[in-house]
Amino acid sequence: MLIPPSCRFHNIYRIIPVIFLICFVFISGCDQGAEDPHDPILATVGNETLTLGAALSSIPQSVLAQDTLSAIQTFQENWIDQKLLQREAERIGLDNNRQIHRQLERIRGSLLREALHDLILEEHKEELEVSVEEAQNYYQENRDRFVLDERYVRFRHLTARTRVDADNARRDIMRGIDWADVAERYSVSPDLQIRQSERFLPVSMAIPDNPRLERYLDLIGISEISPIESHNGQFHFIQLMEERPQGDHPDLDWLTEQIQQWLYLEKAQRLINTYKRNMYLQAEANNEIDKRNVEALSGTEIFNVVEEHEIY
């Protein structure tokens, strides 16, 4: 569906190259200034140590939950590898390289700007909140700007383990047995398929992993049931329940949460822009900004700097 242009927001403060962040974390993190006797040391490289606490605070919880000891061991080995690489880089003098210093300074600046950005939003989180009522009012005032860009459908999709189960499920639906009861009895994922049957989806994304079944969405009518198809060792059929044509307006309940997010981002953008503007004005008042006319730069000046700093 179309998104109002005013709702598009790109947060430049959060776009930080991942590889630089990883390097920065390994270079600057996981080292303890003072040893805690209750925090076991997992590894030592030179005068730097990795403690269990530092490892646990750095490993994602989702990774720890899968296999705690394996996750700690993997982190330990990676930490040693990174520290050895760092020591070797320092030994051959890369830490004195001007380009490395510039990259580290850019990383430091990015992290500081991100931290300030998050602090500003946290301090104003109450005024940035968007209520359901506010989102609903926005939708009503801008309803013509929300248009479906393709056909949307709501349908039931049942996946059964055997052909017999699929046949029985299809027959029960045709006999008027409640859909939830049929799904609970025959579906391999009843909760998921019941939940999905309550949502409208764009037809292009309805059943992306089963194109043979998906094509029936263009062939069957409302309440009709497709033939049973075998796919990946299971048996499937669908029943089309509702459809909304391209160009129609979506229901508000489809959009409320998304509109809340858009309005939050708009408020956040205005807040950050106001903050930046105030900083700029304050710096100007304090004579802390001096700008040279870029258009007055000569080609020779630019060429000399490129040569001197090896900028290519």
Side-chain angles (χ1 to χ4, degrees):
M1 66 189 64
L2 298 181
I3 299 176
S6 60
C7 293
R8 299 189 180 106
F9 174 64
H10 302 285
N11 184 358
I12 62 172
Y13 295 98
R14 310 186 79 86
I15 304 176
I16 301 175
V18 174
I19 186 64
F20 287 163
L21 280 177
I22 293 173
C23 293
F24 186 84
V25 168
F26 276 113
I27 292 173
S28 304
C30 301
D31 301 317
Q32 306 300 308
E35 292 185 7
D36 181 351
H38 303 293
D39 191 359
I41 294 176
L42 297 180
T44 301
V45 175
N47 60 356
E48 298 182 78
T49 60
L50 170 67
T51 68
L52 177 59
L56 291 176
S57 64
S58 301
I59 302 171
Q61 289 299 315
S62 58
V63 177
L64 283 172
Q66 294 178 11
D67 189 336
T68 303
L69 293 180
S70 176
I72 294 172
Q73 184 177 20
T74 299
F75 188 89
Q76 175 193 53
E77 292 169 354
N78 288 338
W79 183 87
I80 292 173
D81 287 344
Q82 295 298 325
K83 288 303 176 184
L84 290 174
L85 288 170
Q86 178 186 335
R87 281 162 54 91
E88 178 64 13
E90 292 170 347
R91 186 187 69 79
I92 64 177
L94 288 180
D95 54 333
N96 296 319
N97 183 283
R98 286 188 302 178
Q99 186 176 1
I100 297 296
H101 276 284
R102 286 198 296 268
Q103 290 177 343
L104 288 175
E105 187 57 30
R106 283 199 294 269
I107 294 168
R108 179 176 178 274
S110 295
L111 290 173
L112 286 173
R113 289 192 296 273
E114 182 181 20
L116 176 60
H117 176 274
D118 291 341
L119 178 63
I120 295 169
L121 297 185
E122 178 63 24
E123 290 180 342
H124 296 82
K125 63 180 180 180
E126 291 185 2
E127 64 189 82
L128 292 175
E129 289 180 358
V130 179
S131 67
V132 172
E133 182 181 2
E134 190 175 351
Q136 292 172 342
N137 290 338
Y138 182 89
Y139 175 80
Q140 295 301 332
E141 294 169 2
N142 299 274
R143 190 170 182 272
D144 291 341
R145 303 169 73 180
F146 295 94
V147 179
L148 299 180
D149 55 6
E150 65 176 303
R151 176 172 165 249
Y152 273 61
V153 292
R154 184 176 71 83
F155 62 98
R156 297 168 176 175
H157 175 194
L158 190 133
T159 304
R161 290 183 177 84
T162 67
R163 176 67 189 233
V164 172
D165 281 350
D167 283 331
N168 290 336
R170 193 173 186 276
R171 185 166 50 251
D172 283 354
I173 290 176
M174 295 176 68
R175 290 168 52 206
I177 304 297
D178 184 74
W179 157 245
D181 292 338
V182 174
E184 287 287 352
R185 183 171 182 181
Y186 298 110
S187 173
V188 298
S189 304
D191 292 340
L192 175 62
Q193 295 197 315
I194 290 172
R195 201 161 55 244
Q196 289 178 336
S197 70
E198 298 169 352
R199 299 169 49 207
F200 275 87
L201 293 173
V203 70
S204 63
M205 300 172 57
I207 320 174
D209 59 339
N210 192 339
R212 292 183 61 186
L213 192 64
E214 186 178 51
R215 65 189 174 92
Y216 286 113
L217 290 171
D218 293 324
L219 300 175
I220 61 178
I222 302 299
S223 297
E224 290 183 355
I225 303 175
S226 74
I228 295 170
E229 291 282 352
S230 174
H231 181 71
N232 288 339
Q234 297 175 323
F235 297 86
H236 309 254
F237 66 81
I238 60 172
Q239 182 182 26
L240 183 61
M241 303 306 297
E242 293 183 73
E243 62 181 351
R244 302 288 284 276
Q246 179 180 350
D248 199 2
H249 296 286
D251 291 338
L252 176 58
D253 57 359
W254 302 7
L255 295 172
T256 300
E257 185 175 342
Q258 194 171 8
I259 292 175
Q260 284 180 291
Q261 183 180 12
W262 290 340
L263 294 179
Y264 171 86
L265 292 175
E266 277 198 338
K267 289 183 178 182
Q269 184 180 36
R270 287 197 298 269
L271 176 65
I272 294 297
N273 287 342
T274 299
Y275 193 94
K276 288 163 56 179
R277 182 60 180 167
N278 290 339
M279 284 192 305
Y280 192 95
L281 293 175
Q282 185 62 52
E284 273 192 327
N286 295 336
N287 294 319
E288 296 171 343
I289 298 176
D290 183 17
K291 292 195 304 184
R292 179 173 177 179
N293 183 5
V294 175
E295 295 180 355
L297 288 173
S298 68
T300 302
E301 286 178 296
I302 297 174
F303 178 79
N304 289 339
V305 172
V306 168
E307 285 290 305
E308 180 182 352
H309 293 275
E310 299 179 351
I311 302 171
Y312 299 103

